[in-house]
Amino acid sequence: MLSGLIASPLARRLIRTALAVLTIVFFLFNLRRAGERAGRAAERLDTLEAVTHAQRQMLDEASRRPRNRNDLVDRLRDGEF
C-alpha cells in the first residue's frame, strides 16, 4: 500500500513540496538563531569597548598624578592643580 502511494505522481509531488517547505522553515529558524548570536556578539563588543574606554581613562589619570609628595608640593606651588 505504501509503495503504491509513493509511486503515484501526486504523492511524489506532495513529498517534494513538503521537503521544500521543511527546508525553507529550517533555513529561517537557522537565520533567526544566527541573528540572535550576532546580536549577542555585538552587545559583548559594545560592553568591551566601554570597559576599555574606562580603563584607558583611568590609566591616563594615573599617569598624570604626582609621583611623590615633592611632586605634589611643586604642582601646588606652581598652580598646576
Side-chain angles (χ1 to χ4, degrees):
M1 165 115 175
L2 187 61
S3 62
L5 184 64
I6 293 175
S8 72
L10 180 62
R12 281 185 285 178
R13 187 173 184 168
L14 286 175
I15 290 172
R16 278 196 309 257
T17 305
L19 287 175
V21 167
L22 278 175
T23 302
I24 291 170
V25 167
F26 287 148
F27 176 75
L28 291 176
F29 280 143
N30 189 32
L31 272 181
R32 180 174 170 240
R33 283 188 353 171
E36 289 172 356
R37 271 187 259 134
R40 285 192 299 270
E43 185 178 341
R44 279 194 305 265
L45 180 63
D46 290 342
T47 303
L48 182 63
E49 286 176 351
V51 168
T52 303
H53 180 68
Q55 287 175 340
R56 190 176 302 122
Q57 284 180 333
M58 288 187 284
L59 288 172
D60 287 344
E61 293 299 321
S63 70
R64 284 185 247 148
R65 74 170 189 235
R67 300 287 179 228
N68 54 31
R69 292 163 73 193
N70 291 333
D71 285 346
L72 177 61
V73 170
D74 290 342
R75 284 188 184 186
L76 288 173
R77 281 189 193 137
D78 294 340
E80 291 181 23
F81 267 123

